[in-house]
Amino acid sequence: MTAIKESSTRNFNKGVALTSCPVTFVMEKIGGYWKPIIIYHLMSGPKRYSELKRAIPQITEKMLIQHLKQLQNDDLVHRDAQAVIPPVVTYSLTKSGQDLFQVLDSMVDWAVKNGSV
């Protein structure tokens, strides 16, 4: 797979959209198929990795790990690793992640209102 040049027009346009359009910024952070589902499950409280995997059985381990890392890098999810044997890792929403409650609730209301559920 070829790398995208940093100076490409696509990267330039993406940067402009991220800084000038709040919707693009939000979608960059929580967009995709799995991120909103992960955040939704963390809304009820901290979860261990295995609890998340059980709650979302269709997601592969690779995708769950990848999206948890991205959400952590975007300061939406906090990873608490305790140095015990076996290791205990708990994921929870940060303050920024908790601020998404209203956004996700609005999405749920819209979906119900428009007949998807």
Side-chain angles (χ1 to χ4, degrees), residues 41-112:
H41 284 287
L42 290 174
M43 285 171 62
S44 62
K47 302 269 186 299
R48 294 188 58 185
Y49 176 85
S50 59
E51 292 176 297
L52 285 171
K53 183 68 179 114
R54 232 176 294 126
I56 316 167
Q58 303 86 354
I59 193 170
T60 63
E61 287 190 34
K62 177 187 175 200
M63 291 306 290
L64 182 55
I65 291 167
Q66 180 180 334
H67 287 304
L68 284 168
K69 283 181 181 178
Q70 289 172 358
L71 289 166
Q72 187 180 352
N73 288 339
D74 289 335
D75 195 34
L76 297 174
V77 168
H78 173 72
R79 180 181 188 267
D80 180 32
Q82 298 176 9
V84 295
I85 304 218
V88 175
V89 179
T90 306
Y91 294 93
S92 59
L93 292 175
T94 62
K95 175 70 173 107
S96 288
Q98 292 172 1
D99 288 344
L100 291 170
F101 281 21
Q102 187 177 9
V103 173
L104 292 177
D105 280 340
S106 295
M107 291 170 69
V108 168
D109 291 343
W110 185 88
V112 170

